[in-house]
Every structure is written in C-alpha cells, then in structure tokens.
Amino acid sequence: MSKIDVMDVAGRQLWLMKSEPDVYSYDDLVAEGEGTWDGVRNHLAARNLRSMAAGDLAFFYHSNIGKAVVAVATISVPGLIDPTDPEGKWAAVKVKPVAKLVRPVTLAEIKATEALAQMDLIRLSRLSVGAVRPDEWALILDMAGGPV
C-alpha cells in the first residue's frame, strides 16, 4: 500500500465513498490493488466523481452491512466514463487503497457527534459519493485512532 499521509490534506479534495461490503469491500480493493468506482446513477454523486482529481483522498464506507468508515483510499485516475454505462453519460474514477483505520467509525458514532451533523453522510444519507470537509476528515480519523 501507498505511504500517503492521510493527515496532509492541503491541496486535496476529501470524499466519502460508500460500497456494500458484500458487493465490493475495502479488502476487495486491497486484493485488486486498484479498482474502478463505477455504477453510480445519482446525479449529485456523479458530479462529485467528475470533480475528483488524482491524489484526492476518500473515506471508504461500508454501507448496509457494518455502516462504518473503515479505511482511506486515494483517487488514482479521475475523469473516466463509467464502463458499465452503455450510453456513456455516467462518471467513474479509479481508486487505490491507502490504509485501514485502526478501528471503524460507525454511522451511529458519527450521528452522535454534533461536529459531524452537517456531513453529506448525515444530511444526504442516500448519497453514495459525498464531500468531506477537512475538519470532518480530521475528526473521523481521530475517532478511528488513525490509519493502521
């Protein structure tokens, strides 16, 4: 895995990307080494994918099962057309694993933390790719005990 400093967010956009772990987990991404984030069919989430740049960081969130931020990934190749979209209208990016968190930060913990009440994860709960502010990023990493 990469030696990216997940606390050095200067010049990077920060994201949270949801995936059902029984469909595609962080461990699956690690096994692949680099994965394509595709299949997103929400306009705001697709706009977020189009806004990503190489080197941006993203929390990897396991949805439905676990409901927790479990790891950090980095955007390796931005600006792709979703290969699962026959019409070529939807966006995709490639991502690489960076590090698991010392411990997952659950949705319940995030909801119980007033400083995180305005996160896209909370306000736009069905959004699969959302922005994360630097203060939210730092707080979640602190809650997790940092990356492994």
Side-chain angles (χ1 to χ4, degrees):
M1 292 210 223
S2 181
K3 295 286 187 191
I4 295 172
D5 180 357
V6 300
M7 293 302 294
D8 180 12
V9 298
R12 300 177 198 251
Q13 295 179 97
L14 305 169
W15 307 98
L16 182 140
M17 302 171 84
K18 294 180 182 178
S19 182
E20 297 173 16
D22 59 334
V23 175
Y24 191 75
S25 69
Y26 183 73
D27 289 339
D28 293 330
L29 176 61
V30 170
E32 276 190 318
E34 181 177 55
T36 302
W37 208 272
D38 57 18
V40 173
R41 297 297 184 267
N42 172 285
H43 289 285
L44 178 54
R47 184 172 54 192
N48 288 338
L49 287 170
R50 286 185 194 98
S51 298
M52 292 177 175
D56 284 354
L57 296 173
F59 283 132
F60 198 111
Y61 180 90
H62 281 170
S63 61
N64 294 343
I65 301 167
K67 295 185 181 177
V69 176
V70 298
V72 175
T74 187
I75 308 309
S76 55
V77 182
L80 301 174
I81 301 296
D82 187 332
T84 68
D85 174 18
E87 296 180 23
K89 297 188 303 188
W90 295 99
V93 297
K94 288 198 177 278
V95 297
K96 287 185 176 181
V98 174
K100 273 191 172 180
L101 300 180
V102 171
R103 71 168 195 83
V105 179
T106 67
L107 178 59
E109 290 175 281
I110 292 169
K111 284 183 173 181
T113 304
E114 189 172 329
L116 298 175
Q118 294 305 308
M119 276 189 82
D120 283 359
L121 176 66
I122 305 303
R123 292 183 319 98
L124 305 167
S125 62
R126 296 188 49 87
L127 187 66
S128 63
V129 179
V132 177
R133 292 188 319 261
D135 59 320
E136 296 166 341
W137 183 266
L139 182 52
I140 289 174
L141 284 176
D142 185 58
M143 292 167 71
V148 172

